[in-house]
Amino acid sequence: MNAEIIAVGTEILLGQISNTNAAYLSEQLAALGINVYWQTVVGDNRQRLSQAVQTAEGRSDLVITIGGLGPTDDDLTKEVVADYLKVDLVPNEMAAEKIAAYQKRTGKMLTTNNAKQALMLKGARPLANLNGYAVGDFYANPDGADFVLLPGPPREFKKMVDSALIPILQEQSVNPQLLSSKVMRFFGIGESQLVADLADLIAQQTNPTIAPYAKPAEVTLRITASGSSIREANQLIDEIVSQILARDGDYFYGYGDDNSLAAVVVKDLVDQHLTITAAESLTAGEFQSTLGDVPGVSAVFPGGFVTYANSAKERLLSIPPEIVDQYGVVSETVAIWMAKMAKEKMGTDVAVSFTGVAGPDELEGHSAGTVWIGMAYQNREPQAFLYQFNNGRQQIRDRSVLTGLDLIRREIKKA
Amino acid sequence: MNAEIIAVGTEILLGQISNTNAAYLSEQLAALGINVYWQTVVGDNRQRLSQAVQTAEGRSDLVITIGGLGPTDDDLTKEVVADYLKVDLVPNEMAAEKIAAYQKRTGKMLTTNNAKQALMLKGARPLANLNGYAVGDFYANPDGADFVLLPGPPREFKKMVDSALIPILQEQSVNPQLLSSKVMRFFGIGESQLVADLADLIAQQTNPTIAPYAKPAEVTLRITASGSSIREANQLIDEIVSQILARDGDYFYGYGDDNSLAAVVVKDLVDQHLTITAAESLTAGEFQSTLGDVPGVSAVFPGGFVTYANSAKERLLSIPPEIVDQYGVVSETVAIWMAKMAKEKMGTDVAVSFTGVAGPDELEGHSAGTVWIGMAYQNREPQAFLYQFNNGRQQIRDRSVLTGLDLIRREIKKA
């Protein structure tokens, strides 16, 4: 099945927002085995929207519009599609009741415009809007491409895709196979290297499929399989996952779309009853802030130190100024001192430290991107590791933080 | 002039990346007064790319492709456009030399594929690629729409747009007016309020134009004017800027695309010779990390404290546990203690503190989003301010950080 996505909204054509909805929907459709050959963006303009609908209907099996279902005069999608398909618009009872209830609760008048949000293509299946008032449509077209109408606000759009559209597409599938997918996350290996390592698996992929995706500083693989049951699909996934882990398991750190290195490290620390602190120079609190993103981190992270200037290394961590003078602030010795003293002062099991050159200027003769990461872990001998990162100040700091997290993850695994 | 953007890349149709290039380009074109009526995305497929090019050429004055200029077999854009326009592809000397120099430097063979990146439409003006090897094209078409070919990797794309394409478009403009624009940045006022305050100015806009743009937690206005000289355009901008400042100057914090509250605060601190530290509970280092993003911050920021747990408030800041017990950790008193003690321990002129509930769970009977921000500023009486933020853990922390920065900005202005 070939689908085409039409995003409707002048704000996209003005560059005020990126078309992230199309990206999300495309990813979901790909996972369902539906090919998306075209994405189009058109403004809130009746004539051009008509033209886009007609073009799409002529070359696709499924046309999905995003946006233009709201209450204002600019919101034209339903009218344009109804005109094109020559079907009427009729009120959807549940959506109309929801709007009426809102009116009652807030005391606002139910204007014609608001009522418009409850209108649907006659004969379409409603797609409930759990985060808003505009109802969506799934219109099985006896004479041509099927039409799906979705709202534009991302919260409404995403919820409707997940809870209403995907189940219908699965059910409508010509070959009613059930789909399952699993995301594998890797750190410390580039996309091209990972793809090269798995070249034969990727080349022969049919079921499961393997989709690599490079994010800043990490790579994910989405493994998607179909089967007559979820269990059967999952077995296919597990087999390929084992093969991938046998090759690149050293870089694999966890599963799941919403996972992160920080979440994995916090979970590992909680599981092992290990507390952690940090002393940060070039990262200036970013490592600790990244830990702070993870709900539940308070069980293992009491706090720590930002020691940007040398004076702070002395004041907060009691590092003798002679040490900094002798070895330089960007040095193995200072990284080890920072980790050791942070651990001691905070009374934690683990401490990590960051000292280096964020740039843009060099420091003490070291170029931007030179970073030492120190690690003090229970009674093990404190160590520090040297890295050379690049691509500018923020990337150097981000990369330092992720590398620190990965060092901890590996250190915990040694236990 | 009407432009159409064709982004070429299967990775966009698979939802692996958002089409952020199209958003950036659309914004630039809007600022130049060029209408974008269509954006299309098509995969690395010869037949569909041909179809997209043909459709675009039939309805637009300017067709801009993004992507598909690279060395691999998938990169088809040049060939397809050359076929459509019936012009040859010829090597661009400078681009070819750059590739040859790269080969010499790295010892890699110059493959046919690499050489392909130096090819251009015969008769086109080259658009230099300062961040890569694929040269871009500006082809003034005597028989139809003009064509622009740009590379897909965002770093290469953006640089080429800024440094090569925009100057040509300005110069090619039918009405050779010169354009100038200025971005005004606001914090603490919502987009809808700002737009309401400026409704009459926005309604009557012709030259300059006023384009509001809501980003997470801040709003910007891009004021764009044209004139027979940049000076004339700037005068028109200055007049409208004065009117806007008279109405909402209290929320205005700075000019410029690459500006930020953190950059403004760091600049103010440097100008006033004021040093700063922080004690962070719920923000867990994010405030200090945000300062750390600004090059040159080391002159005013020695470091600070992450005091996530109560034990850290005692250990690092010597806050008596009775104070926390008596008032609760989410309290005006504790926020003031944190700021006061951080300032004292670090020996800075200014200290800011954050204590509150990041969520998802409530704390001490306070709901997620309850945040106290404390401020100790030279010899002024330390104060703390209460906020109620919402929308989830990360947004609560982000908003706290920005609000802390804005408090400092306002405190400095009082001096």
Side-chain angles (χ1 to χ4, degrees):
Chain A
M1 180 152 69
N2 303 332
E4 171 154 358
I5 298 172
I6 302 173
V8 187
T10 300
E11 66 279 16
I12 307 176
L13 294 180
L14 288 171
Q16 292 172 348
I17 59 171
S18 283
N19 194 3
T20 52
N21 285 342
Y24 183 77
L25 182 56
S26 294
E27 198 179 359
Q28 304 308 310
L29 293 173
L32 288 165
I34 297 173
N35 297 313
V36 176
Y37 286 152
W38 299 91
Q39 294 174 359
T40 305
V41 181
V42 63
D44 304 308
N45 172 285
R46 192 178 293 271
Q47 182 236 324
R48 284 188 290 272
L49 178 53
S50 288
Q51 189 186 331
V53 164
Q54 185 180 345
T55 304
E57 206 269 336
R59 64 189 177 192
S60 306
D61 306 316
L62 174 65
V63 179
I64 305 182
T65 69
I66 307 172
L69 304 190
T72 77
D73 290 344
D74 275 357
D75 293 306
L76 298 165
T77 308
K78 282 176 191 170
E79 291 88 324
V80 166
V81 174
D83 276 358
Y84 176 75
L85 293 173
K86 300 190 175 42
V87 299
D88 290 334
L89 288 172
V90 293
N92 174 259
E93 206 172 310
M94 273 181 60
E97 274 172 18
K98 192 172 165 185
I99 294 169
Y102 169 78
Q103 175 214 4
K104 204 168 170 184
R105 202 169 63 241
T106 61
K108 291 187 185 159
M109 281 293 294
L110 183 63
T111 62
T112 319
N113 276 344
N114 270 325
K116 186 177 128 177
Q117 296 187 86
L119 292 179
M120 294 185 53
L121 298 169
K122 191 172 175 181
R125 288 171 67 169
L127 307 178
N129 188 336
L130 302 178
N131 285 332
Y133 295 95
V135 66
D137 296 57
F138 184 98
Y139 183 79
N141 184 1
D143 307 317
D146 294 341
F147 273 78
V148 171
L149 276 52
L150 299 170
R155 279 186 69 236
E156 301 180 24
F157 160 81
K158 190 162 180 291
K159 189 82 185 172
M160 192 179 287
V161 169
D162 291 347
S163 65
L165 178 60
I166 290 176
I168 290 181
L169 290 175
Q170 282 177 326
E171 158 203 321
Q172 299 264 333
S173 172
V174 193
N175 178 11
Q177 293 280 78
L178 291 166
L179 280 172
S180 183
S181 74
K182 194 165 202 170
V183 171
M184 302 179 74
R185 309 183 76 93
F186 298 83
F187 179 79
I189 184 171
E191 184 188 20
S192 52
Q193 183 60 50
L194 186 63
V195 166
D197 291 351
L198 308 176
D200 54 321
L201 299 178
I202 291 173
Q204 74 194 34
Q205 63 176 321
T206 47
N207 184 25
T209 57
I210 304 172
Y213 183 14
K215 305 192 174 184
E218 67 171 301
V219 189
T220 64
L221 294 178
R222 182 183 292 278
I223 322 288
T224 305
S226 62
S228 56
S229 69
I230 291 292
R231 190 178 159 169
E232 186 188 315
N234 284 344
Q235 277 168 350
L236 292 169
I237 290 174
D238 290 346
E239 282 164 30
I240 205 101
V241 163
S242 304
Q243 293 185 58
I244 293 168
L245 288 178
R247 300 183 192 190
D248 282 312
D250 189 42
Y251 304 103
F252 168 79
Y253 74 82
Y255 293 106
D257 257 328
D258 290 329
N259 206 347
S260 68
L261 255 182
V264 166
V265 166
V266 168
K267 186 177 179 308
D268 287 350
L269 291 167
V270 170
D271 288 349
Q272 303 290 324
H273 305 287
L274 294 169
T275 56
I276 187 168
T277 188
E280 303 187 58
S281 185
L282 84 153
T283 49
E286 187 179 333
F287 175 84
Q288 297 171 76
S289 175
T290 303
L291 286 182
D293 286 350
V294 182
V297 69
S298 59
V300 293
F301 173 57
F305 310 85
V306 178
T307 56
Y308 208 65
N310 292 350
S311 64
K313 295 178 183 74
E314 189 185 345
R315 261 177 196 265
L316 305 190
L317 298 174
S318 310
I319 299 179
E322 310 86 72
I323 294 287
V324 176
D325 289 346
Q326 185 179 345
Y327 295 96
V329 68
V330 182
S331 66
E332 180 175 19
T333 307
V334 167
I336 288 176
W337 267 89
M338 286 171 69
K340 210 170 55 176
M341 295 307 293
K343 175 167 173 286
E344 188 181 313
K345 296 249 173 197
M346 207 65 184
T348 55
D349 301 304
V350 181
V352 61
S353 69
F354 300 86
T355 179
V357 192
D361 302 323
E362 59 169 41
L363 182 67
E364 294 179 355
H366 301 287
S367 61
T370 308
V371 177
W372 280 97
I373 303 182
M375 164 86 67
Y377 190 98
Q378 293 189 314
N379 299 327
R380 299 178 195 171
E381 187 65 32
Q383 294 177 78
F385 306 88
L386 176 63
Y387 299 91
Q388 182 64 49
F389 301 127
N390 47 34
N391 287 331
R393 188 176 176 89
Q394 192 50 52
Q395 287 91 323
I396 289 167
R397 298 173 67 225
D398 293 348
R399 190 81 195 186
S400 299
V401 165
L402 290 170
T403 304
L405 289 167
D406 196 51
L407 279 174
I408 298 164
R409 182 182 74 81
R410 290 170 182 273
E411 197 68 30
I412 294 173
K413 270 168 72 180
K414 282 189 202 157
Chain B
M1 179 151 71
N2 303 331
E4 171 154 358
I5 298 172
I6 302 174
V8 187
T10 301
E11 66 279 16
I12 308 176
L13 294 179
L14 289 171
Q16 292 172 348
I17 58 170
S18 283
N19 193 3
T20 51
N21 285 343
Y24 182 78
L25 182 56
S26 294
E27 197 180 0
Q28 303 309 310
L29 294 173
L32 288 165
I34 297 174
N35 298 312
V36 176
Y37 287 150
W38 299 90
Q39 292 174 359
T40 305
V41 181
V42 63
D44 303 310
N45 173 285
R46 193 178 292 270
Q47 182 235 324
R48 284 188 290 272
L49 178 54
S50 287
Q51 189 185 332
V53 164
Q54 185 180 347
T55 304
E57 206 268 338
R59 65 190 176 191
S60 306
D61 306 316
L62 175 64
V63 179
I64 305 181
T65 68
I66 306 173
L69 304 190
T72 77
D73 290 345
D74 276 357
D75 293 306
L76 299 164
T77 308
K78 282 176 191 169
E79 292 88 325
V80 165
V81 173
D83 275 358
Y84 176 76
L85 293 173
K86 300 188 176 40
V87 299
D88 291 333
L89 289 172
V90 293
N92 175 259
E93 205 171 312
M94 272 180 62
E97 275 172 18
K98 192 172 165 187
I99 294 168
Y102 169 78
Q103 174 214 3
K104 204 167 168 185
R105 204 168 62 243
T106 60
K108 291 187 185 158
M109 282 292 294
L110 182 64
T111 62
T112 318
N113 276 345
N114 271 324
K116 186 175 131 181
Q117 296 187 84
L119 292 180
M120 294 185 52
L121 298 168
K122 189 172 176 181
R125 287 172 66 170
L127 306 178
N129 188 336
L130 302 178
N131 285 332
Y133 295 95
V135 65
D137 296 56
F138 184 97
Y139 183 79
N141 184 0
D143 308 317
D146 293 342
F147 274 77
V148 171
L149 276 53
L150 299 170
R155 280 185 70 234
E156 300 180 23
F157 160 81
K158 191 163 179 290
K159 190 80 184 175
M160 193 180 288
V161 169
D162 292 347
S163 65
L165 178 60
I166 291 176
I168 290 181
L169 290 174
Q170 283 177 327
E171 160 203 320
Q172 298 265 332
S173 173
V174 194
N175 179 12
Q177 292 279 86
L178 291 166
L179 280 173
S180 183
S181 74
K182 196 165 202 170
V183 171
M184 302 179 73
R185 308 184 76 94
F186 298 83
F187 179 79
I189 184 170
E191 184 188 20
S192 52
Q193 183 60 51
L194 186 65
V195 167
D197 292 350
L198 308 177
D200 55 321
L201 298 179
I202 292 172
Q204 75 194 33
Q205 64 176 320
T206 47
N207 182 26
T209 56
I210 304 172
Y213 184 15
K215 305 191 175 186
E218 66 170 305
V219 189
T220 63
L221 295 177
R222 182 184 292 275
I223 322 288
T224 305
S226 62
S228 55
S229 69
I230 291 293
R231 189 177 160 170
E232 186 189 312
N234 284 344
Q235 277 169 352
L236 292 168
I237 290 174
D238 289 346
E239 282 164 28
I240 205 100
V241 163
S242 303
Q243 294 184 59
I244 293 168
L245 288 177
R247 299 182 190 188
D248 283 312
D250 190 42
Y251 304 103
F252 168 79
Y253 75 81
Y255 294 106
D257 256 328
D258 290 329
N259 207 346
S260 68
L261 256 182
V264 166
V265 166
V266 169
K267 185 177 180 310
D268 287 351
L269 292 168
V270 169
D271 288 349
Q272 303 290 324
H273 305 287
L274 294 169
T275 56
I276 187 167
T277 188
E280 303 188 57
S281 185
L282 83 152
T283 48
E286 187 180 334
F287 175 84
Q288 295 171 79
S289 175
T290 303
L291 286 183
D293 287 350
V294 182
V297 69
S298 59
V300 294
F301 172 57
F305 309 85
V306 178
T307 56
Y308 208 65
N310 292 349
S311 64
K313 294 177 183 72
E314 189 185 346
R315 260 178 198 264
L316 305 190
L317 298 173
S318 310
I319 299 178
E322 310 87 72
I323 294 287
V324 177
D325 289 346
Q326 184 179 344
Y327 295 95
V329 68
V330 182
S331 66
E332 181 176 18
T333 307
V334 167
I336 288 175
W337 267 88
M338 287 171 69
K340 212 170 55 179
M341 295 306 292
K343 175 168 172 285
E344 188 181 312
K345 296 250 173 198
M346 206 64 185
T348 55
D349 302 304
V350 181
V352 61
S353 69
F354 300 86
T355 178
V357 193
D361 302 324
E362 59 169 43
L363 181 67
E364 295 180 353
H366 302 286
S367 60
T370 308
V371 177
W372 282 96
I373 303 182
M375 165 85 66
Y377 190 100
Q378 292 188 316
N379 299 325
R380 298 176 196 171
E381 188 65 33
Q383 295 177 77
F385 306 88
L386 177 63
Y387 300 90
Q388 182 64 48
F389 301 126
N390 47 33
N391 287 330
R393 185 175 177 90
Q394 192 50 52
Q395 287 91 325
I396 290 166
R397 298 173 67 223
D398 292 349
R399 190 81 194 184
S400 300
V401 166
L402 290 171
T403 303
L405 289 168
D406 196 51
L407 280 174
I408 299 164
R409 184 182 72 82
R410 289 170 183 274
E411 198 69 29
I412 294 173
K413 272 168 70 180
K414 282 189 203 159

